[in-house]
């Protein structure tokens, strides 16, 4: 793993946005894997700014988001689809047909998960997967457990994850859907490059475990150790427990 430390989240965001724009310039048909959450917001702001300044051509770029709440259609304001539209997609010249997201409102969620895996494979796989990390060590919605799913699946969210997502539901964890659709561990590890971003002291323990402890399903992010091309981008607080 390549570890990069930054003085401020804006410096991290601008470094990652520049890396992504460079990758798009080199490969206009880039396939990006994207997270939601608080951590990528500065990156999405930087991507919007760079796109406006450098007239980046997004027309052939394809995106796959990591996850979506079960039971919520894309038009629901609490959905990750709505989050992504507001944070990024409404502000860059991406072709809407190239945006892929899991549909939490699909009538058959297992079938929706199979459709998504096939769509990723049909796109030739993900070139660069951006990840955040839960304070409990989850990636996507692969929560700590005795066993993990390889492929896209319906996940049951843990209490800490419901609390962390309450902001999307008026601050009320009780309104957060209890299940979500998520890429699995093999889906994530199948990306050609992975960039993990983490900000703040609350991520410092799981970041240290992810980088230095043995691989365990109790810390799903630790599986990134087996991937040959991972960059971990941290602010000093998130890096503070790394030895
Ligand atoms: C979101 C996702 C999650 C988040 C993680 C960190 O699509 O897959 O794994 O990346 O929960 O969330 P924040 O960035 O809000 O701390």
């Amino acid at each position: 793993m390549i570890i990069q430390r930054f003085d401020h989240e804006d410096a991290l965001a601008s470094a990652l946005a520049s890396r992504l724009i460079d990758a798009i310039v080199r490969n206009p048909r880039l396939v990006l894997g994207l997270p939601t959450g608080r951590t990528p917001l500065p990156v999405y702001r930087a991507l919007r700014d760079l796109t406006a300044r450098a007239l980046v051509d997004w027309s052939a770029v394809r995106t796959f988001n990591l996850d979506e709440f079960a039971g919520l259609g894309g038009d629901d304001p609490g959905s990750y689809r709505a989050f992504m539209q507001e944070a990024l997609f409404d502000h860059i010249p991406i072709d809407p047909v190239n945006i892929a997201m899991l549909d939490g409102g699909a009538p058959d969620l297992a079938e929706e998960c199979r459709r998504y895996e096939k769509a990723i494979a049909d796109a030739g796989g993900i070139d660069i997967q951006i990840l955040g990390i839960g304070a409990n060590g989850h990636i996507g919605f692969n929560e700590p457990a005795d066993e993990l799913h390889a492929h896209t699946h319906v996940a049951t969210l843990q209490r800490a994850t419901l609390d962390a997502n309450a902001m999307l539901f008026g601050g009320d964890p009780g309104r957060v859907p209890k299940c979500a659709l998520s890429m699995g561990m093999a889906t994530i590890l199948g990306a050609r490059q992975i960039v993990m971003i983490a900000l703040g002291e609350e991520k410092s323990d799981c970041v240290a475990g992810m980088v230095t402890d043995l691989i365990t399903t109790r810390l799903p992010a630790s599986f990134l150790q087996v991937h040959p091309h991972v960059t971990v981008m941290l602010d000093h607080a998130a890096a503070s427990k790394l030895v």
Side-chain angles (χ1 to χ4, degrees), residues 129-149:
Q129 174 69 57
I130 317 295
L131 294 176
I133 183 170
N136 65 1
H138 73 214
I139 49 176
F141 280 135
N142 297 280
E143 298 275 36
D146 289 338
E147 296 167 324
L148 298 175
H149 288 262

CSV table of all heavy atoms in Angstrom, one decimal, residues 129-149:
chain,number,residue,atom,x,y,z
A,129,GLN,N,-11.2,2.5,-8.2
A,129,GLN,CA,-12.2,2.5,-7.2
A,129,GLN,C,-11.8,3.4,-6.1
A,129,GLN,O,-10.8,3.2,-5.4
A,129,GLN,CB,-12.4,1.0,-6.7
A,129,GLN,CG,-13.4,0.9,-5.6
A,129,GLN,CD,-14.8,1.2,-6.0
A,129,GLN,OE1,-15.4,0.5,-6.9
A,129,GLN,NE2,-15.5,2.2,-5.4
A,130,ILE,N,-12.6,4.4,-5.8
A,130,ILE,CA,-12.4,5.3,-4.6
A,130,ILE,C,-13.2,4.7,-3.5
A,130,ILE,O,-14.4,4.3,-3.7
A,130,ILE,CB,-12.9,6.7,-4.9
A,130,ILE,CG1,-12.5,7.2,-6.2
A,130,ILE,CG2,-12.5,7.7,-3.8
A,130,ILE,CD1,-11.1,7.4,-6.5
A,131,LEU,N,-12.6,4.6,-2.3
A,131,LEU,CA,-13.3,4.1,-1.1
A,131,LEU,C,-13.2,5.0,0.1
A,131,LEU,O,-12.1,5.7,0.3
A,131,LEU,CB,-12.6,2.8,-0.7
A,131,LEU,CG,-12.7,1.6,-1.6
A,131,LEU,CD1,-11.9,0.4,-0.9
A,131,LEU,CD2,-14.1,1.1,-1.8
A,132,GLY,N,-14.2,5.1,0.9
A,132,GLY,CA,-14.1,5.6,2.2
A,132,GLY,C,-14.0,4.4,3.1
A,132,GLY,O,-14.0,3.3,2.7
A,133,ILE,N,-13.9,4.7,4.4
A,133,ILE,CA,-13.9,3.6,5.4
A,133,ILE,C,-14.8,4.0,6.6
A,133,ILE,O,-14.8,5.1,7.0
A,133,ILE,CB,-12.4,3.3,5.9
A,133,ILE,CG1,-12.4,2.1,6.8
A,133,ILE,CG2,-11.8,4.5,6.5
A,133,ILE,CD1,-10.9,1.6,7.1
A,134,GLY,N,-15.6,3.0,7.0
A,134,GLY,CA,-16.4,3.3,8.2
A,134,GLY,C,-15.5,3.2,9.5
A,134,GLY,O,-14.4,2.6,9.5
A,135,ALA,N,-15.9,3.9,10.5
A,135,ALA,CA,-15.1,3.8,11.8
A,135,ALA,C,-15.0,2.4,12.3
A,135,ALA,O,-14.1,2.1,13.1
A,135,ALA,CB,-15.7,4.8,12.8
A,136,ASN,N,-15.9,1.5,11.9
A,136,ASN,CA,-15.8,0.1,12.3
A,136,ASN,C,-15.0,-0.7,11.2
A,136,ASN,O,-15.0,-2.0,11.3
A,136,ASN,CB,-17.2,-0.5,12.4
A,136,ASN,CG,-18.0,-0.5,11.1
A,136,ASN,OD1,-17.6,-0.1,10.1
A,136,ASN,ND2,-19.3,-1.0,11.2
A,137,GLY,N,-14.4,-0.1,10.3
A,137,GLY,CA,-13.6,-0.8,9.3
A,137,GLY,C,-14.3,-1.3,8.1
A,137,GLY,O,-13.8,-2.0,7.3
A,138,HIS,N,-15.6,-0.9,7.9
A,138,HIS,CA,-16.3,-1.4,6.7
A,138,HIS,C,-15.8,-0.7,5.4
A,138,HIS,O,-15.4,0.5,5.5
A,138,HIS,CB,-17.9,-1.3,6.9
A,138,HIS,CG,-18.4,0.0,6.8
A,138,HIS,ND1,-19.5,0.4,7.6
A,138,HIS,CD2,-18.1,1.2,6.1
A,138,HIS,CE1,-19.9,1.6,7.3
A,138,HIS,NE2,-19.0,2.1,6.4
A,139,ILE,N,-16.0,-1.3,4.3
A,139,ILE,CA,-15.8,-0.7,3.0
A,139,ILE,C,-17.0,-1.1,2.2
A,139,ILE,O,-17.5,-2.2,2.3
A,139,ILE,CB,-14.5,-1.1,2.3
A,139,ILE,CG1,-14.3,-2.6,2.3
A,139,ILE,CG2,-13.3,-0.4,2.9
A,139,ILE,CD1,-13.0,-3.0,1.5
A,140,GLY,N,-17.5,-0.1,1.4
A,140,GLY,CA,-18.9,-0.3,0.9
A,140,GLY,C,-19.7,-0.5,2.1
A,140,GLY,O,-19.5,0.1,3.1
A,141,PHE,N,-20.7,-1.4,2.0
A,141,PHE,CA,-21.4,-1.8,3.2
A,141,PHE,C,-21.1,-3.3,3.6
A,141,PHE,O,-21.9,-4.0,4.0
A,141,PHE,CB,-22.9,-1.6,3.0
A,141,PHE,CG,-23.3,-0.2,3.2
A,141,PHE,CD1,-24.2,0.4,2.3
A,141,PHE,CD2,-22.9,0.5,4.3
A,141,PHE,CE1,-24.6,1.7,2.5
A,141,PHE,CE2,-23.3,1.9,4.5
A,141,PHE,CZ,-24.1,2.4,3.6
A,142,ASN,N,-19.8,-3.6,3.4
A,142,ASN,CA,-19.3,-4.9,3.9
A,142,ASN,C,-18.9,-4.6,5.4
A,142,ASN,O,-17.8,-4.1,5.7
A,142,ASN,CB,-18.1,-5.3,3.1
A,142,ASN,CG,-18.5,-5.6,1.6
A,142,ASN,OD1,-19.0,-6.6,1.3
A,142,ASN,ND2,-18.3,-4.6,0.8
A,143,GLU,N,-19.8,-5.0,6.3
A,143,GLU,CA,-19.7,-4.7,7.7
A,143,GLU,C,-18.8,-5.8,8.3
A,143,GLU,O,-18.8,-7.0,7.8
A,143,GLU,CB,-21.0,-4.7,8.4
A,143,GLU,CG,-22.0,-3.6,7.8
A,143,GLU,CD,-21.8,-2.3,8.5
A,143,GLU,OE1,-20.6,-1.9,8.8
A,143,GLU,OE2,-22.8,-1.6,8.7
A,144,PRO,N,-18.1,-5.5,9.4
A,144,PRO,CA,-17.4,-6.5,10.2
A,144,PRO,C,-18.3,-7.7,10.5
A,144,PRO,O,-19.4,-7.5,11.0
A,144,PRO,CB,-16.9,-5.8,11.4
A,144,PRO,CG,-17.0,-4.4,11.1
A,144,PRO,CD,-18.1,-4.2,10.1
A,145,ALA,N,-17.8,-8.9,10.3
A,145,ALA,CA,-18.6,-10.1,10.5
A,145,ALA,C,-17.7,-11.3,10.5
A,145,ALA,O,-16.5,-11.2,10.2
A,145,ALA,CB,-19.7,-10.3,9.4
A,146,ASP,N,-18.3,-12.5,10.8
A,146,ASP,CA,-17.5,-13.8,10.7
A,146,ASP,C,-17.3,-14.1,9.2
A,146,ASP,O,-16.3,-14.8,8.9
A,146,ASP,CB,-18.2,-14.9,11.4
A,146,ASP,CG,-18.2,-14.7,12.9
A,146,ASP,OD1,-17.4,-14.0,13.4
A,146,ASP,OD2,-19.1,-15.3,13.5
A,147,GLU,N,-18.2,-13.7,8.3
A,147,GLU,CA,-18.1,-14.1,6.9
A,147,GLU,C,-18.4,-12.8,6.1
A,147,GLU,O,-19.2,-12.0,6.5
A,147,GLU,CB,-19.1,-15.2,6.6
A,147,GLU,CG,-18.8,-16.5,7.3
A,147,GLU,CD,-20.0,-17.5,7.1
A,147,GLU,OE1,-21.1,-17.0,7.2
A,147,GLU,OE2,-19.7,-18.7,7.0
A,148,LEU,N,-17.8,-12.7,5.0
A,148,LEU,CA,-18.1,-11.6,4.1
A,148,LEU,C,-18.6,-12.1,2.7
A,148,LEU,O,-18.3,-13.2,2.3
A,148,LEU,CB,-16.8,-10.7,3.9
A,148,LEU,CG,-16.2,-10.1,5.1
A,148,LEU,CD1,-14.9,-9.4,4.8
A,148,LEU,CD2,-17.2,-9.1,5.8
A,149,HIS,N,-19.4,-11.2,2.1
A,149,HIS,CA,-19.8,-11.6,0.7
A,149,HIS,C,-18.8,-11.2,-0.3
A,149,HIS,O,-18.2,-10.2,-0.2
A,149,HIS,CB,-21.1,-10.8,0.4
A,149,HIS,CG,-22.3,-11.3,1.2
A,149,HIS,ND1,-23.2,-12.1,0.6
A,149,HIS,CD2,-22.7,-11.0,2.4
A,149,HIS,CE1,-24.2,-12.3,1.5
A,149,HIS,NE2,-23.9,-11.7,2.6
